[in-house]
Each structure stands twice: as structure tokens, then as C-alpha cells.
Amino acid sequence: MTATVWFNGSLVTETLTLDPSDRGLTLGDGLFETIAVFNGKAVWLADHLDRLLDGAAMMGLPVERQAIEAAVAEVLAQAETPHGILRITLTRGPGLRGLAAEGARPSLLITLIPWVRQTLFTPVRLMTASFRRNETSPVSRLKTLSYADNILAARAAAAAGSDDALFLNKRGHVAATTIANVFILRGSRLSTPRVDDGVLPGIARAKLLAIDGGEERKITPTELSAADAVFLTNSLRLVRPVHVLDGRTLRRNDAAVAGFFDALCRRIAEECGIDPREVDAL
Amino acid sequence: MTATVWFNGSLVTETLTLDPSDRGLTLGDGLFETIAVFNGKAVWLADHLDRLLDGAAMMGLPVERQAIEAAVAEVLAQAETPHGILRITLTRGPGLRGLAAEGARPSLLITLIPWVRQTLFTPVRLMTASFRRNETSPVSRLKTLSYADNILAARAAAAAGSDDALFLNKRGHVAATTIANVFILRGSRLSTPRVDDGVLPGIARAKLLAIDGGEERKITPTELSAADAVFLTNSLRLVRPVHVLDGRTLRRNDAAVAGFFDALCRRIAEECGIDPREVDAL
């Protein structure tokens, strides 16, 4: 089974024909979304498109929701596998020189690869990144193609034997990891950093806040040690407990965290007719 | 006259055949250099390659200098015009999912476009960016493909009628603009922010420091107003005086700044046999 690839209007086989001045390639000038697909259905697609279009408006990328929806539908209809990972990549397209220049037309790339086991609910060892998240920049709240900060932090964490890096922001508060939102549980009280702490408004994060009414607030690093449980959310891995931070074992309450995981899995099962845990076990 | 484009081993015509998982396109995971070409000679090429390879080492991008040199030579030999703008783009290449994953092999893209008049020495109106440069991140000192911060700031400046945006860092010191290093002149004393203030180690910046022995030090925003002159350097536009900051007219000493510009132009004339001012006037 290979990837299904759609680029600028049609399905293509394996490779793209790209203008070398495409600003997605030359400047990381664009946005993306990564979406789980179960039973041929893109999970929380409307929420992902809302976020993509909000980001496109902030970056001045003209794009029509219907065009993306139609392209996604075409890709899903062609998929060779019912379960997969869909990625929508939107760039400013071929551009003149000059950072503020407009592109000729945005490029839209949609790929669907077969589901890769996400080892759902696997515990995570975190390492605090050696540098800060820049919450002063709008980019800290957008899923742009400019991921160099995240990549460098993730590589350093992997080199040190950790699974992911935790970013603090310039005020010293907890922001996010390179790929996930952070939640803490204290008693029955759920909290997660605010978006203006330099955090992507995660889709799984929003679903969990809607289900459980958690609080968005500033969180200090010492609160992570004091919490009854720390866990991460993202759209593919859903919920994973954090067991270790900077080599120190954290307090844990995996039963409570599993409850949040279960809630998200059941939401997806309602939407797609299959539970992610069944897919991941295939 | 069209662009000359070389990609992963050979000259191509107009478009690239790109793997849709190339991390340059999907994650801004790579580096670039932009280099003036006069009389078929890439200006300060060795310095640009030094910087590119330093960055590649920091990002864990395996690449051989000789391979890039050979590719650049091939592109220059094929150029349809003696004067142009060369861009070297290095990405981690097609990659597995996962931010810390290695690429299969780096992608190397080299483009040469005909010289575009840079309106050398044109005065600049600067606007202070609404958000900060993140000098805690190594990315602030690397010419990565992750340019979203610079793009958003440049777009905001253009929308407000300014030519470029000035970044302060999180400590409130002067860092750089979206495309240039900043210098101030006070009496005969030249100063520019330190690289660890969140500044790209610019090639024109280094040449000027070597010629004039300026000082690398922290610079506060109030020093910009107090300076006898403020100017910008980059590899294509060389030296441009800043006349306006946030709508306020700055003190200026264009004669002194023109001296620095002249020094760089004469260096290039020695290296390439033509003065950039003659090229720009063509």
C-alpha cells in the first residue's frame, strides 16, 4: 500500500511537480494539518479546517474551504486503506523574491498514508528543551511549515534518550511539547496552558476541554512535579501519560488519564464507527 | 532569460520532481543561502558555504562541501546571464514521520535567477515588529527554511507602509530585521548586535567588521535614536541607510554610511572584476 497524493488539482503518482520558487519549500511559508482517518472518515475534519483557515487568514493565504474539502474527499475516495494519516499542506505557492511578496496562487498538497501504529497511550519521557517557546510570535499559535524550533528540540530530546521535548515560554511557564499539548490533573481538576502562552490550539485539546471542562491557565514547571498526573494530547496519539520529566519520575494517575483517553476514543468511535484502539491493534 | 535550476544531481527545466515527504517542504527542515553573482562569480561563496555547513552540522544534516561546490559550478557554467542571484537550498530530504527522524538523504536545490535590481543604498523605513526575536533558540542564528516569523513581520511592516521590520529580542535589545543585520554609527565607532542576541552571522556584516573593526555588543532601542547613523547590511543589498524608525526620522550620516557601502563594493569589484553599482545600473 502506498501513499495517495493530491497536488494542485489532481491525484499524482508518488512525486510532485513543484515550482522551485514555491514558498512552502523555500521559506516554510504555509500551514499544515495532520488528521487521523478511520473507516475512510477524517476525524474532526471540520475542526482541523477551521484551524487551517484561521491560520491562513492570519498569514494572508487566500484559500477556499470548499476547494480543500473537495480535494480531501477525492483523496479519501481513492485511498487503498480504510485507516490512515491525512496531511493537508497549504503553501503561499510560487513567489517573487521578497518576504512580504504575495504568491501567484497557493499550493495545496494532500497526502494520505496508511495508518502507522501510534502505540496509543504509551507513557512518555519528557526533557525540558534548552531554549524557549516564543509566545510573543503568532507563529507559536499556528501550525506553520516553519518547524525548525520543534525539530531541533525533538532531536536533542531523542539524542538524550527522551521521547519529546517540553517547551517553557519566555516567562518561564509551561507551553507545549514539540508535537503535543500538555495537561495536568490535580485532584479532579484538569488544567492546560492558555493559547497565548505560546500554544497551538490543539484539536484533541479542545475536545477534551469540551468534555471535561478543564481550565486554560498559566502553569509553572513546579506544578508539573506537584500534579497528580501530567499527560499530552494530540490528534493522532490522542492521550499519553507523562511518566518522566528531566530524568525524574512524576506522580501518576494512569487510571484517571485513561479515562480521558477513553472519552476521546469513544467520541471517535461514534464519528467513524471504529475505536482507535481497535485500529491500532490491527 | 529564465532561471537555471539544479536539483539532486542534475540540471532540470523549470520544475522539480519532489518527493511529497521532503522535509524541506513539509517542515521547513533545512537551510539556505542567497548569494550575488557578478561576472559569473559567486560573491563570498566560501563564506556562504562555511555558514551553510556550520548550520548543517548543528541541524544534523549530512552534506559534503565538495558536492555543493561542484553543483554551484555546474549552475554557474550553465547560466544565461553573467549577473544573477544564486540560492542554495539544503533540506533533510524525504523523511519518515516523526520530527526527530532522519531523512533518507538530503535534498540539494540550486537556483540562479537573473540579477534583479536591488536599488542599492536606497534608504529604509523600519518598523519595530510587534513580537520578539527568540534569541534563546539556535534557529535565531541559522538561515533555516523556517521563515514564518520573518514573513509575518515583513508583511505587517509592508502593510503599514514600512520597508522592513526590526526585531528586538526577548531582553528588549536590538536583534536584526527580517532580512538584514543592523549597524549603528556613533562618532567613528561602529557597533552591531552580537550573534547571541538572536542574529544571523551575516556575511556582509562579517566583511564590514573585518574592514572597519566594529564592535559586536548589546544595543538598546534608544541607542538607535541616539546614533549618528543606523544602517543595514545583507549579502545582496550590501548597505542601506535607515532613515525612519516607527515613523520618526533618525539622525543620519549618509556620507559615512556610503563609505562602508563603497568599501564593500570595492571588495566585490576586486573579487569579480565589476562593481555592484555598475551592475545595478545596467
Side-chain angles (χ1 to χ4, degrees):
Chain A
M1 288 184 299
T2 57
T4 306
V5 182
W6 184 103
F7 185 62
N8 284 350
S10 54
L11 292 159
V12 298
T13 47
E14 294 187 27
T15 56
L16 309 181
T17 300
L18 190 75
D19 189 304
S21 76
D22 193 291
R23 291 170 59 109
L25 177 63
T26 59
L27 295 168
D29 190 5
L31 296 160
F32 74 105
E33 292 289 332
T34 308
I35 306 171
V37 173
F38 299 128
N39 275 348
K41 195 160 186 327
V43 177
W44 303 326
L45 178 62
D47 303 273
H48 284 281
L49 293 181
D50 286 348
R51 184 169 69 182
L52 182 67
L53 290 164
D54 285 350
M58 281 201 61
M59 293 182 71
L61 290 169
V63 65
E64 290 189 8
R65 185 183 187 107
Q66 284 182 323
I68 302 178
E69 287 173 337
V72 167
E74 191 176 349
V75 168
L76 291 175
Q78 290 294 323
E80 297 177 25
T81 167
H83 314 307
I85 300 171
L86 183 79
R87 179 175 160 132
I88 303 172
T89 305
L90 174 70
T91 87
R92 200 176 304 276
L96 297 174
R97 281 188 43 78
L99 294 188
E102 300 296 337
R105 57 169 194 289
S107 291
L108 182 61
L109 167 66
I110 298 173
T111 58
L112 178 66
I113 60 171
W115 182 251
V116 179
R117 277 193 76 209
Q118 298 297 310
T119 55
L120 298 172
F121 210 69
T122 311
V124 174
R125 291 157 300 170
L126 280 187
M127 183 181 93
T128 304
S130 64
F131 58 95
R132 299 297 176 95
R133 185 93 165 177
N134 184 10
E135 79 275 19
T136 70
S137 170
V139 174
S140 70
R141 305 182 287 278
L142 296 173
K143 205 165 173 71
T144 75
L145 301 178
S146 288
Y147 248 50
D149 271 349
N150 297 313
I151 291 163
L152 287 179
R155 289 179 62 86
S162 292
D163 302 306
D164 198 356
L166 173 72
F167 281 115
L168 307 183
N169 65 23
K170 56 175 275 207
R171 292 183 294 232
H173 300 137
V174 173
T177 82
T178 69
I179 57 165
N181 289 110
V182 178
F183 280 82
I184 64 171
L185 185 67
R186 185 112 198 219
S188 62
R189 190 170 163 225
L190 201 57
S191 306
T192 192
R194 295 160 51 102
V195 170
D196 63 11
D197 279 321
V199 167
L200 193 73
I203 308 300
R205 171 184 180 275
K207 295 295 172 188
L208 198 55
L209 288 173
I211 293 170
D212 285 276
E215 189 186 4
E216 297 174 74
R217 64 174 178 87
K218 290 175 195 164
I219 295 177
T220 63
T222 54
E223 286 186 82
L224 298 178
S225 312
D228 295 319
V230 177
F231 64 94
L232 307 180
T233 60
N234 87 5
S235 292
L236 293 182
R237 303 186 184 199
L238 303 174
V239 171
R240 288 178 300 157
V242 179
H243 282 183
V244 174
L245 173 62
D246 296 326
R248 297 188 313 276
T249 302
L250 294 174
R251 295 170 69 185
R252 66 178 75 161
N253 183 345
D254 285 355
V257 176
F260 301 121
F261 178 55
D262 183 64
L264 290 184
C265 286
R266 283 189 290 123
R267 279 291 179 97
I268 292 172
E270 285 167 22
E271 188 171 323
C272 301
I274 189 166
D275 189 301
R277 290 168 285 198
E278 296 170 43
V279 176
D280 206 49
L282 289 178
Chain B
M1 288 183 296
T2 57
T4 306
V5 182
W6 184 103
F7 185 62
N8 284 348
S10 53
L11 292 159
V12 298
T13 47
E14 294 188 27
T15 57
L16 309 180
T17 300
L18 189 76
D19 188 305
S21 76
D22 193 291
R23 291 169 61 108
L25 177 63
T26 59
L27 295 168
D29 189 5
L31 296 159
F32 74 104
E33 292 290 332
T34 309
I35 306 171
V37 172
F38 299 128
N39 276 347
K41 195 158 186 328
V43 177
W44 303 326
L45 178 61
D47 303 273
H48 284 281
L49 293 181
D50 286 347
R51 183 169 70 181
L52 183 66
L53 290 164
D54 286 349
M58 282 200 62
M59 293 182 72
L61 290 169
V63 66
E64 290 188 9
R65 185 184 188 106
Q66 284 181 323
I68 302 178
E69 286 173 337
V72 167
E74 192 177 348
V75 168
L76 291 176
Q78 290 294 324
E80 297 177 26
T81 168
H83 314 307
I85 300 171
L86 183 78
R87 179 177 160 130
I88 304 173
T89 304
L90 174 69
T91 87
R92 200 178 304 278
L96 297 174
R97 280 186 43 75
L99 294 189
E102 300 297 337
R105 58 171 191 290
S107 291
L108 182 62
L109 167 65
I110 298 173
T111 59
L112 178 66
I113 61 171
W115 182 251
V116 179
R117 275 193 77 209
Q118 298 297 310
T119 54
L120 298 171
F121 211 69
T122 311
V124 174
R125 291 158 300 170
L126 280 187
M127 182 182 93
T128 304
S130 64
F131 58 95
R132 299 296 177 95
R133 185 93 165 178
N134 183 11
E135 78 276 18
T136 70
S137 170
V139 174
S140 69
R141 304 182 286 278
L142 296 173
K143 205 165 173 72
T144 74
L145 302 177
S146 288
Y147 249 49
D149 271 349
N150 298 313
I151 291 163
L152 287 179
R155 289 178 63 84
S162 292
D163 302 305
D164 197 357
L166 173 72
F167 281 115
L168 307 183
N169 66 23
K170 55 176 278 210
R171 293 182 294 232
H173 299 138
V174 173
T177 82
T178 70
I179 56 165
N181 288 109
V182 178
F183 280 82
I184 64 171
L185 184 68
R186 184 111 198 220
S188 62
R189 190 171 162 222
L190 200 59
S191 307
T192 191
R194 294 159 51 100
V195 170
D196 64 10
D197 279 321
V199 167
L200 193 72
I203 307 299
R205 171 184 180 275
K207 295 294 173 190
L208 198 55
L209 288 172
I211 293 170
D212 285 277
E215 188 186 5
E216 298 174 74
R217 64 173 179 88
K218 291 175 193 163
I219 295 176
T220 63
T222 54
E223 287 186 81
L224 298 178
S225 312
D228 295 319
V230 178
F231 64 95
L232 307 181
T233 60
N234 86 6
S235 292
L236 293 182
R237 303 185 185 201
L238 302 174
V239 171
R240 288 178 301 157
V242 179
H243 282 182
V244 174
L245 173 63
D246 296 326
R248 297 188 312 276
T249 302
L250 294 175
R251 295 171 67 185
R252 67 179 74 162
N253 183 345
D254 285 355
V257 177
F260 301 122
F261 177 55
D262 183 63
L264 290 184
C265 286
R266 284 191 288 122
R267 280 291 178 98
I268 293 172
E270 285 167 24
E271 187 170 324
C272 302
I274 189 167
D275 188 300
R277 289 168 286 198
E278 296 169 43
V279 176
D280 206 50
L282 289 178

